[in-house]
Amino acid sequence: MPASLPPAERPRRRGRRTAPLFAASAGLMMLMATGLAAPLAAAQPSAAQPAAASPAAVPPPSVAAATATAAAKAATPLLGARTRILDNGLQVVVVEDHRMPVVSHMVWYRVGSADEPPRRSGIAHFLEHLMFKGTDQVAGDEFSRLIAENGGRDNAFTSYDFTAYYQNIAADRLDLVMRLEADRMTGLKLTPEDTRTELQVVIEERRSRTDNDPQARFSEAYRAMLYGGHPYGRPVIGWSAELPTLTRDDALAFYKAHYRPSAAIVVVAGDVQAADVFKLAEATYGRVANDGPAPDDAAPGAGAEVGVANDARAIEAHRLRPAPAPLIGDRRLVLAEAGVASPTWRRSWLVPVAESFGHDREEALDLFLFAMGGGSNSPLYRRLVVAEGVAVQAGAFYSGARDEGQVMIYAAPAPGVSVAALEAAVEAAVADLLKDGVPADVLERARTRMLADAVYARDSVSSTANLVGRALATGETLDRLETWPERIAAITGEQGLEAARAVMAPPAGTATGILLPEGLGVDDPAPAVASAASAAPSSEGTVH
């Protein structure tokens, strides 16, 4: 499931991040309802931290690792969350954490860029911006001003499968943020001028973050190739040709179709009592009418809880999206761009939806990929970077999603090594790993790290709220979230290898992407600048 540390605070809605929101292990990311995840930040080099020439020493087991392993064996719930569904369909989840008098409050809507109408790419993210434009009760930028005056911070983000709004604030101000969010859940008011102005902000955001960045343009084109025909192939921020066509009417239509209590999940983590939060939720969110399209399978007269459950299931059932075009052979993108300093290489395999592939099998795949290529001590890195010296960077990760996920292998050639030679070396290494698997001690080290990351995730109430919200917003259940450590502790090497072979072994189709400096070919040796490896690729599509 996806996991990530709270994003660094920045001026609201003026920029975009494509990093994960919660830097935990790839396994914990996948657990979060198979929401779109990014590779483990700690296990992969970043632009600021180039790949090392030799692996770091393996650290001794940490207190967190020992605690997590013991908790997994004892079947201790991961979070101890409590949940309630209000009469209008809103789900409220509470995770108590009394270490500090603060609270993280998040509202997650089960709608993202993958749910946008044809030729209206970017409308989900555009609406996220417009949600700060006021209601009859709270005008203009009053929302964020009130949060700041009370010592809090607020922001929002959009991804393929969800849109989320959050506030981090003192626990005794929870009633304020609940009133504000309940007000704008169905009370948004948009003026033509606000819409025009904010659209220009979004267009400039895309221009500065994507259009002017060759790596971002390449990643966007690669994802479109990989997910051909599926809306995961569209950028969350929207295509540059379609953004200028978005209107106020488009935004209001999308808002009315998707923003209502039964399509939302409120997560509260921090110094609160669950009973008090449920009471406060009833007094604020409970007053919001659940207007919107009636679910086909609702059960009139069956009682609020049953009807609500049917409504939530209907929302998920109606999120029908076309399947991506099957990968046949090797679908390939080779792009040479000015401004690119060194070549990079990547290859992906599509992973079937969890309902057909199997949720437990998906977790086994995640653990195997994390062990195989999740850091400088992984077999893939040690072979390609340390032993053979053909790469300055190499790794692998699994990125789950509500629909089809992907497995990605990536690498960057060492100076003097061509991309073609690097590709042959990667293919040989992957073939051996799919034949023999990973050593038992490597698998155990990866498992321990994943379980430890689950403990570290609790260090921040923002991280906890992120974990829960992403899981539930992308179709996972709270029960599976709580029992994730037990299942990870029980995965065998044979189960991980079987899952990896099912996805990656021939004749499975692939998508391959190569980004080159202008004037360099795939058979040309990489320039000396390749010694400073570029950032590892990410499948994360979060945009603020």
Side-chain angles (χ1 to χ4, degrees), residues 356-428:
S356 61
F357 188 70
H359 289 281
D360 291 348
R361 199 181 187 198
E362 189 180 34
E363 290 170 345
L365 173 68
D366 190 30
L367 176 59
F368 183 88
L369 264 294
F370 186 50
M372 171 183 169
S376 61
N377 283 295
S378 67
L380 192 65
Y381 185 98
R382 291 182 65 84
R383 173 166 171 171
L384 296 173
V385 178
V386 181
E388 298 180 2
V390 296
V392 293
Q393 177 194 64
F397 63 91
Y398 166 63
S399 174
R402 180 186 177 274
D403 296 341
E404 285 79 4
Q406 67 164 305
V407 163
M408 182 185 286
I409 308 290
Y410 62 91
V417 177
S418 70
V419 171
L422 173 68
E423 181 175 293
V426 173
E427 289 175 341

Side-chain angles (χ1 to χ4, degrees), residues 216-261:
R217 293 198 305 271
F218 169 74
S219 295
E220 185 177 87
Y222 179 80
R223 189 175 182 91
M225 177 184 70
L226 172 66
Y227 280 105
H230 189 285
Y232 286 166
R234 296 192 304 247
V236 173
I237 200 167
W239 293 115
S240 56
E242 293 181 359
L243 277 177
T245 71
L246 299 182
T247 67
R248 174 176 176 271
D249 288 343
D250 291 331
L252 288 174
F254 196 78
Y255 174 66
K256 291 175 181 177
H258 298 289
Y259 280 55
R260 62 182 185 274

Side-chain angles (χ1 to χ4, degrees), residues 37-283:
L40 173 67
Q44 299 177 356
S46 67
Q49 297 175 315
S54 60
V58 180
S62 65
V63 173
T67 302
T69 302
K73 292 178 179 178
T76 303
L78 179 62
L79 301 171
R82 296 178 61 186
T83 186
R84 179 171 298 176
I85 299 177
L86 306 186
D87 288 345
N88 58 9
L90 181 80
Q91 182 176 7
V92 183
V93 183
V94 182
V95 181
E96 296 184 16
D97 184 338
H98 302 291
R99 291 175 293 178
M100 292 287 287
V102 295
V103 66
S104 182
H105 171 269
M106 303 191 75
V107 183
W108 297 75
Y109 291 94
R110 295 184 183 92
V111 62
S113 66
D115 302 296
E116 294 167 339
R119 297 186 178 273
R120 288 294 177 266
S121 64
I123 191 64
H125 172 240
F126 182 35
L127 176 59
E128 174 222 304
H129 279 232
L130 294 173
M131 285 290 287
F132 292 86
K133 294 303 180 182
T135 67
D136 286 340
Q137 304 299 319
V138 180
D141 288 334
E142 187 78 0
F143 187 107
S144 293
R145 187 186 66 77
L146 286 170
I147 299 297
E149 284 183 352
N150 283 271
R153 293 182 175 181
D154 71 310
N155 213 323
F157 50 90
T158 305
S159 192
Y160 297 101
D161 294 314
F162 53 76
T163 307
Y165 303 82
Y166 70 88
Q167 301 83 34
N168 297 323
I169 200 165
D172 62 0
R173 299 295 192 273
L174 179 60
D175 60 335
L176 169 67
V177 297
M178 279 192 161
R179 288 199 311 270
L180 290 171
E181 283 289 8
D183 177 44
R184 71 175 176 180
M185 182 172 282
T186 58
L188 179 66
K189 301 295 181 183
L190 297 178
T191 68
E193 180 59 28
D194 281 342
T195 308
R196 285 192 297 269
T197 301
E198 203 62 32
L199 182 59
Q200 292 308 307
V201 171
V202 174
I203 290 172
E204 178 56 32
E205 184 179 333
R206 182 191 159 87
R207 184 178 297 120
S208 63
R209 303 286 182 157
T210 303
D211 298 340
N212 294 334
D213 182 348
Q215 178 68 52
R217 293 198 305 271
F218 169 74
S219 295
E220 185 177 87
Y222 179 80
R223 189 175 182 91
M225 177 184 70
L226 172 66
Y227 280 105
H230 189 285
Y232 286 166
R234 296 192 304 247
V236 173
I237 200 167
W239 293 115
S240 56
E242 293 181 359
L243 277 177
T245 71
L246 299 182
T247 67
R248 174 176 176 271
D249 288 343
D250 291 331
L252 288 174
F254 196 78
Y255 174 66
K256 291 175 181 177
H258 298 289
Y259 280 55
R260 62 182 185 274
S262 61
I265 303 155
V266 170
V267 182
V268 178
D271 188 21
V272 293
Q273 297 292 332
D276 294 338
V277 175
F278 294 143
K279 182 177 180 181
L280 189 56
E282 289 281 5

Side-chain angles (χ1 to χ4, degrees), residues 285-312:
Y285 292 107
R287 297 180 179 181
V288 181
N290 191 43
D291 297 328
D296 294 340
D297 61 348
E305 188 168 340
V306 174
V308 160
N310 284 340
D311 195 0

